[in-house]
Amino acid sequence: MSLDDLHLNLRNLTPDDYPQLQTLMDRVYDDIGGAWPKPTIDKLINEFPDGQIVIEDDQTIVGVALTALVDYDTFSNPHRYDDLIGKRETILNEPDGDAMYGLDVLIHPDYRGYRLGRRLYEARKELCRSMNLRAILAGGRIPQYHEHAHELSPAEYLDKVARKEIHDPILSFQLANDFQVKRLLRKYLPEDEKSQGYATLLEWNNILFEPAERVLENRPTQVRVGAVQWQMREFDSVEAVLQQVEYFVDALSDYKSDFAIFPELFNAPLMGLQDRAAQQDQMAAIRFLAGFTERFKTELSRMAVSYNINIIAGSMIEMGEDDLLYNIAYLCHRDGTIERQAKLHITPQERRDWVIEGGDELLVFQTDAGRVGIQICYDVEFPELSRLLADQEMDILFVPFWTDTKNGYLRVRHCAQARAIENECYVVLCGSVGNVPSVENMEIQYAQSSVFSPSDFAFPHDAVLSETTPNTEMIMFSDLDLTRLTVVRAEGSVTNLKDRRKDLFDLRWRDWSWKSGADLEES
């Protein structure tokens, strides 16, 4: 048969289709009893019409998938085929079931080789996702087992099929369609002599499933971030800086952003409020800047609540209780709470001129718009940190940065994009531009703020969702789909997180107890 002769159509089964269905099932299942009776099929169609799917070619049925709704906890454990069947060959469909059970998939022998079975399986998966069901379960026959039973146990047979040393027409097909073998079922279908009564309990897990209580929480899947590519310039007062900050927060809020992010040390021009002689002492100047941090925290938290937006307040210099200086990014939640992430890796310039210390905690923050991490500039050049955050199911990594030259910027950019790809997350890069000749170490800035994604079909071809005009003060928006992260982590072209060889290496946080935002709330 030529492909040009095919006119395929996917639709739901109807009671009028029974004569064709009976003919097809009698032909394919001649060794295990043939077709279901018409009342059985009519009842199944009536109770779960969306689950009964056919492929027709010029109105001739050539493929069928029959499905029932079941209770996951019951049928994900050992069972027999008869557990699905009631009196008079009635299929026990459970209207309130939280999983689908694949009863039959059959293809007309003349149409094998056209991947019609895969079409039916994909239709089932889409239905499972759309109904927010936990999984698709199936009891899979192993019809070639009788040829190997004299030398292989059922478990050994399954292992060889999984390694593709043996081809089993049903199990090999199921494995190729992302089903996993959960267990071996004994006496599943005693009359199945080819399988010698054995079957596999197969499961396809719906990675997008949300329990009812989570659905009611209205967990977001679409998140809008707004980044401020901030221009460094001379200010004559703290109020002038805060006024400019509030202008941007107001604008981002007007566009319904969930997050606003500012660059690293965005308030550093305030060092220029000292007289010229005092600015020459860089240690004194940076400690002078630290004196404004508490006011900025208070005002930014007020803005987060007033404008209903989560603010990543770039970073600011904080004087610790130990009288040492730290570079701190503050997350001001729109509910009024404030959390902090210290810069862990300090650049040679920061150590030499300002004597800044590195922090010792790495956190994932639970927000109302996803789980986020923050790495300040240089930290993103150390891939171990991002991987530790990814292990805590981080969705978005925010990277406020401050670089003077283009080559410095490109170090941060390339590393940030690598973190998005290897950790299958979004990375939001936000920097500053402009120049402040009157302040030491602030003569020039270079930035092109960007949002990076994983590199796969669901994302832009260059894995860049948004970016600003280089060296221009502006705001940038980007809409992030968290569902796409879930899919790419489980079913992407490559699955970096899943495929790590943990049998060869591991990564752990040394000396300090790992904490997440949720842990902090409890401690």
Side-chain angles (χ1 to χ4, degrees):
M1 183 184 301
S2 168
L3 287 173
D4 295 334
D5 296 330
L6 294 178
H7 300 87
L8 301 177
N9 178 45
L10 190 83
R11 62 172 176 82
N12 289 118
L13 184 70
T14 70
D16 293 339
D17 294 321
Y18 183 75
Q20 290 195 61
L21 175 64
Q22 181 182 32
T23 300
L24 182 58
M25 293 191 79
D26 283 341
R27 180 170 181 179
V28 175
Y29 290 157
D30 63 309
D31 60 334
I32 55 171
W36 291 102
K38 188 175 189 304
T40 302
I41 296 298
D42 287 347
K43 185 174 184 296
L44 191 60
I45 292 172
N46 181 62
E47 293 181 348
F48 188 24
D50 290 342
Q52 320 317 318
I53 306 167
V54 301
I55 296 176
E56 61 180 359
D57 180 23
D58 276 339
Q59 300 184 339
T60 298
I61 292 177
V62 297
V64 178
L66 302 179
T67 314
L69 291 171
V70 297
D71 176 69
Y72 177 85
D73 289 337
T74 299
F75 285 93
S76 61
N77 285 301
H79 62 276
R80 298 182 181 183
Y81 193 69
D82 285 347
D83 295 330
L84 284 162
I85 312 302
K87 295 179 180 179
R88 298 179 182 178
E89 294 192 74
T90 300
I91 296 171
L92 299 178
N93 182 75
E94 175 56 59
D96 296 325
D98 58 355
M100 293 166 58
Y101 197 100
L103 298 166
D104 299 286
V105 171
L106 52 153
I107 305 297
H108 192 290
D110 294 343
Y111 286 78
R112 290 172 185 169
Y114 294 111
R115 296 178 177 262
L116 301 190
R118 185 177 295 272
R119 293 197 194 194
L120 292 169
Y121 269 68
E122 290 302 317
R124 265 185 182 165
K125 292 174 184 178
E126 286 303 313
L127 179 61
C128 185
R129 290 189 181 109
S130 68
M131 295 181 66
N132 191 38
L133 300 174
R134 290 181 62 173
I136 302 174
L137 301 170
R141 300 168 60 207
I142 44 176
Q144 299 287 43
Y145 177 59
H146 69 283
E147 298 178 3
H148 304 271
H150 64 285
E151 59 180 358
L152 297 175
S153 69
E156 291 170 335
Y157 178 78
L158 299 185
D159 183 64
K160 286 187 175 293
V161 173
R163 293 175 178 274
K164 298 186 177 180
E165 296 174 17
I166 296 175
H167 177 79
D168 184 279
I170 293 180
L171 180 56
S172 297
F173 175 75
Q174 299 273 19
L175 296 175
N177 280 276
D178 302 321
F179 277 74
Q180 302 295 319
V181 176
K182 289 198 65 175
R183 65 179 77 246
L184 183 69
L185 300 175
R186 291 173 171 80
K187 299 181 180 180
Y188 179 75
L189 194 63
E191 61 267 34
D192 180 9
E193 296 180 358
K194 292 182 178 179
S195 303
Q196 298 198 353
Y198 291 104
T200 54
L201 176 56
L202 297 146
E203 178 174 342
W204 176 82
N205 181 43
N206 177 13
I207 59 174
L208 302 182
F209 170 70
E210 290 283 3
E213 60 271 19
R214 292 280 297 275
V215 173
L216 293 175
E217 291 172 5
N218 194 28
R219 181 174 178 267
T221 58
Q222 299 287 332
V223 175
R224 177 166 294 172
V225 298
V228 179
Q229 186 157 284
W230 173 267
Q231 181 170 337
M232 296 289 200
R233 52 188 176 274
E234 294 184 2
F235 289 98
D236 57 11
S237 67
V238 175
E239 290 74 19
V241 181
L242 289 170
Q243 182 179 23
Q244 188 69 13
V245 169
E246 188 157 7
Y247 160 75
F248 283 120
V249 170
D250 187 6
L252 295 174
S253 175
D254 284 345
Y255 286 93
K256 309 299 182 185
S257 286
D258 295 291
F259 292 99
I261 176 172
F262 288 83
E264 177 184 20
L265 298 181
F266 67 98
N267 68 347
L270 289 176
M271 287 187 286
L273 295 182
Q274 294 181 297
D275 60 52
R276 190 67 178 172
Q279 290 181 41
Q280 299 305 309
D281 184 345
Q282 293 190 49
M283 275 295 300
I286 200 69
R287 286 178 174 263
F288 174 76
L289 181 63
F292 299 112
T293 296
E294 197 61 35
R295 180 175 178 186
F296 270 80
K297 282 172 57 181
T298 300
E299 288 297 311
L300 282 159
S301 182
R302 174 190 63 79
M303 294 179 203
V305 174
S306 298
Y307 292 98
N308 190 30
I309 188 171
N310 301 298
I311 300 176
I312 289 86
S315 77
M316 293 177 277
I317 300 299
E318 178 184 282
M319 181 79 71
E321 294 179 358
D322 52 8
D323 201 37
L324 300 175
L325 297 178
Y326 298 89
N327 189 349
I328 306 293
Y330 298 98
L331 170 56
C332 300
H333 294 261
R334 49 184 157 199
D335 66 2
T337 58
I338 302 176
E339 297 184 278
R340 64 197 296 280
Q341 173 62 63
K343 189 172 185 176
L344 305 185
H345 296 88
I346 304 305
T347 65
Q349 178 269 321
E350 288 174 299
R351 284 199 307 269
R352 180 185 63 246
D353 296 339
W354 293 337
V355 195
I356 292 177
E357 300 291 326
D360 59 11
E361 284 190 311
L362 181 64
L363 307 176
V364 171
F365 304 102
Q366 180 65 55
T367 76
D368 56 15
R371 292 174 65 81
V372 308
I374 304 172
Q375 291 184 349
I376 303 171
C377 197
Y378 195 32
D379 278 342
V380 82
E381 298 181 30
F382 297 85
E384 300 88 351
L385 299 182
S386 300
R387 179 51 52 85
L388 287 166
L389 295 172
D391 282 341
Q392 299 297 309
E393 300 181 347
M394 172 186 65
D395 300 310
I396 309 168
L397 176 62
F398 291 99
V399 183
F401 72 94
W402 176 16
T403 52
D404 51 0
T405 62
K406 187 172 183 179
N407 64 318
Y409 160 74
L410 288 175
R411 281 197 304 271
V412 175
R413 178 189 176 98
H414 293 324
C415 289
Q417 188 157 26
R419 304 298 86 86
I421 292 170
E422 66 201 14
N423 295 303
E424 298 168 331
C425 66
Y426 295 109
V427 177
V428 182
L429 197 62
C430 181
S432 56
V433 300
N435 55 79
V436 189
S438 61
V439 177
E440 193 74 23
N441 285 324
M442 294 193 63
E443 290 87 353
I444 56 173
Q445 276 74 227
Y446 185 95
Q448 182 180 24
S449 302
S450 309
V451 180
F452 304 120
S453 72
S455 185
D456 213 323
F457 291 111
F459 306 97
H461 74 280
D462 57 358
V464 179
L465 286 169
S466 302
E467 56 187 355
T468 62
T469 303
N471 274 3
T472 302
E473 184 172 59
M474 61 185 294
I475 57 178
M476 170 188 67
F477 296 98
S478 189
D479 288 338
L480 312 182
D481 187 339
L482 302 188
T483 300
R484 290 186 177 182
L485 295 182
T486 304
V487 173
V488 78
R489 289 167 183 168
E491 302 175 359
S493 301
V494 294
T495 48
N496 298 73
L497 292 177
K498 283 200 325 183
D499 293 339
R500 284 177 291 166
R501 289 290 305 275
K502 291 184 177 180
D503 58 320
L504 301 180
F505 61 87
D506 62 12
L507 180 65
R508 62 188 182 277
W509 187 254
R510 182 182 297 169
D511 295 335
W512 295 283
S513 298
W514 178 271
K515 293 182 180 181
S516 68
D519 296 329
L520 290 174
E521 291 174 3
E522 296 172 1
S523 61

